[in-house]
Every structure is written in C-alpha cells, then in structure tokens.
Amino acid sequence: MQAWQVHENGEPGEVMRLAEVERPTPGDGQVLLRVRAANVNFPDALLCRGQYQVRPPLPFTPGVEICGETEDGRRVIANPALPHGGFAEYVLADAGALLPAPESLDDAEAAALHIGYQTGWFGLHRRARLEAGETLLVHAAAGGVGSAAVQLGKAAGATVIGVVGGADKAAVARELGCDVVVDRRAEDVVGAVKEATGGRGADVIYDPVGGEAYAQSAKLAAFEGRIVIVGFASGTVPSPALNHALVKNYSILGLHWGLYNTQNPKLVQHCHEQLTGLAARGAVKPLVSERVPLSEAARAVQRVADGRSTGRIAVVGEGAA
C-alpha cells in the first residue's frame, strides 16, 4: 500500500516521503481500516517536527484523524494508532474507540467532526460552561479548530467574536456565522473587541494560538470570564501573570482533549452523540476548504504548518463519498 513516511524530523514538505509499504497488521484490540478521508491537523506538522507531546518511532506516518471503512463495510471515525497514521491507504485503530460516521456528512466532513469539534465541545461546554447570551471570543476563527468553536458557540446561543489574520480569513469567519470579525493584521484586537462589547470584554475566550493572542485574551476577559487554553499554534507558550487573573477575577482553563480518551471515554462517546445531533439538524457543518489526493498530502500538511489554510484540508482516498 502507499503511505507517507517521516524518516527524520523537520518541515513536513521536506521530510514526508510517499512510499510503498506493507499493510499494517492489527494487534490485540485493534482493527484494520481503509482510509476514506484523512484531515490535516496542526499536530501533524508538530509530529513531523518532533515537537508534539507524542513522539512515535521513526519512520512513522502522520495523520491523526480519519473517516475509515471497516472490513464489514461500516463507515467510522477514528484516531489511527501511530506510527501508522492516516496519510496512507490503510491504518490501524483501537476497536473500542471507533465512532459511527454521521450519515449527514460526507467522508471528509465526518473525519473533521472529531478532534476539532470534540475539543471545541469539551472546551466550551465541559470546561468553560458557556451559556446562551454570553460573548465568546475565538482566536484563529477561520482555522480548523477555531471554525469548529465558532459553530459550536453559535449553536449554544452565544454572541461570537472571531479574530483572524487577513481579509480572506475574515470573509470565511463571517460565512461561519461570527457576529463580529476582527482582522488582527488591520485592527487593534483589544480596542476592537472592547468597542464591540461596550468595554466589557468576552465571557469565554477560546485560544488555540498562545503568544500575543493570549496576551490579548488576558486584557479582554470579562468579570468572571474564562480563558480556554487549547494550544500554541504561534509557537510561543505564554507565562500567565497570575496576579492579573486574581485582580480581574477570571479563570484560566487548560484543555487536553486526548486525556478524556483514557480518563473518561464515556464522555467522548456522549460528546460524539451531541455533535452527531447538531450535524443532523445543520447546526454544525465542518468547513472542508479543500480536498486533495493522497499524493498531495505533504504539501497540504506544510500549508497548515505555515498557517496558510482555512478550515480543514482533507486528503481523500479513492471511492470517498
């Protein structure tokens, strides 16, 4: 079978190589899946660089979320078992963690209704307890993680402010349903959000960026606001001033979605049921900005690594729906 492999760490476009390899053999509790669609996530770039919290042995195949097909023909969502990642024709996955792919979504959309949307659901509902009528600020609102948070925030009845970088991404954020869009390249983020909220700031701030975005978040947290730390796509891990959190009376909440798979997997299943229901009634629909063949996977991962994508780029297999 064909699979992209990383033999040394570095930039995805330089270290990913398409090769002919043996089809993986399932171990105890695993199943073999044919990949119908694999979505590109920022962790794929971090895996290539050797900067992710999980470091599979070299060589490995990146690709952390897929829509696949079981040997008996079921369409499922799964996290491939590394080192056999999703940018391949076949993967291995934990049989007990398979989730049914929603009938309302095609393969690429179904694959995208997983990590980003699960992260958004847990971040907004489990950690921040977002309520209808509150104001939600989403950094990188046109990206894969941010776009999911925007849709989930709107579905929850929140007023959503999206922060983006560039006019093209601002247009995407508006199409996603953001009530207010702030282009950080053309506007002062803090000033624009303060103006939009009458000086109050945001009740919940969703931050997958870190760095300067977190510094802005701290200035924009409302009284009893909650800042949800999702990741550090900027490459800079901030050091919060805890005296500032004390004086302004806001909370800083960490979210590591992967822990729920081991600490409370029933919640992951419950979340998937909630997301499937939202998708069925059209309240959420993953933004798949581009579908590319397996041969284009390395370039797609590099685009995500460089911050030049919106929504999700999907690597689709032959016969994908």
Side-chain angles (χ1 to χ4, degrees):
M1 71 168 192
Q2 286 194 312
W4 284 90
Q5 290 198 314
V6 174
H7 287 266
E8 61 181 356
N9 294 127
E11 286 302 299
E14 298 174 359
V15 300
M16 288 178 62
R17 296 287 182 268
L18 189 59
E20 193 71 28
V21 301
E22 292 290 329
R23 188 179 297 183
T25 301
D28 290 341
Q30 292 183 326
V31 293
L32 180 71
L33 300 174
R34 181 176 70 85
V35 178
R36 297 175 66 100
N39 278 303
V40 181
N41 288 263
F42 190 68
D44 294 317
L46 296 179
L47 280 166
C48 291
R49 294 168 175 166
Q51 297 174 346
Y52 197 51
Q53 55 256 41
V54 176
R55 296 191 179 186
L58 298 167
F60 68 87
T61 298
V64 296
E65 71 175 350
I66 70 159
C67 175
E69 185 177 328
T70 63
E71 291 183 291
D72 59 2
R74 289 178 295 127
R75 209 168 61 107
V76 297
I77 296 172
N79 297 124
L82 297 175
H84 304 291
F87 302 137
E89 293 181 293
Y90 289 86
V91 299
L92 301 178
D94 180 358
L98 300 181
L99 299 170
E103 295 181 1
S104 60
L105 303 177
D106 67 23
D107 292 335
E109 293 165 343
L113 193 81
H114 195 33
I115 295 175
Y117 280 83
Q118 287 259 346
T119 299
W121 189 91
F122 275 96
L124 298 181
H125 295 293
R126 182 76 180 178
R127 302 293 282 137
R129 308 291 181 181
L130 178 68
E131 296 181 4
E134 290 191 312
T135 297
L136 167 66
L137 170 65
V138 180
H139 289 286
V145 172
S147 62
V150 168
Q151 292 185 355
L152 289 168
K154 291 299 295 181
T159 296
V160 180
I161 301 173
V163 178
V164 299
D168 291 346
K169 292 185 177 182
V172 171
R174 291 188 187 96
E175 291 175 6
L176 286 166
C178 286
D179 299 283
V180 177
V181 177
V182 179
D183 182 352
R184 60 179 173 79
R185 294 181 181 174
E187 305 172 75
D188 171 61
V189 173
V190 174
V193 174
K194 287 282 190 180
E195 181 178 356
T197 59
R200 184 175 179 276
D203 299 290
V204 176
I205 301 175
Y206 193 78
D207 183 8
V209 179
E212 178 60 24
Y214 177 81
Q216 294 163 351
S217 299
K219 295 176 181 178
L220 291 170
F223 175 73
E224 292 192 329
R226 292 86 78 196
I227 303 175
V228 185
I229 307 301
V230 182
F232 311 105
S234 67
T236 301
V237 180
S239 298
L242 297 185
N243 61 322
H244 190 259
L246 183 154
V247 171
K248 286 196 66 178
N249 207 56
Y250 63 84
S251 302
I252 304 168
L253 305 170
L255 175 63
H256 179 189
W257 170 74
L259 283 179
Y260 288 95
N261 286 295
T262 55
Q263 299 297 318
N264 197 338
K266 288 184 178 180
L267 269 179
V268 174
Q269 178 64 47
H270 171 70
C271 174
H272 182 65
E273 292 168 358
Q274 298 299 307
L275 294 175
T276 298
L278 289 170
R281 65 174 189 263
V284 302
K285 185 178 179 65
L287 171 62
V288 180
S289 58
E290 191 175 353
R291 292 166 169 83
V292 302
L294 183 60
S295 60
E296 297 291 323
R299 278 194 281 267
V301 178
Q302 189 63 59
R303 285 179 58 196
V304 172
D306 294 339
R308 294 185 291 111
S309 64
T310 56
R312 290 286 189 221
I313 301 177
V315 178
V316 296
E318 293 185 11

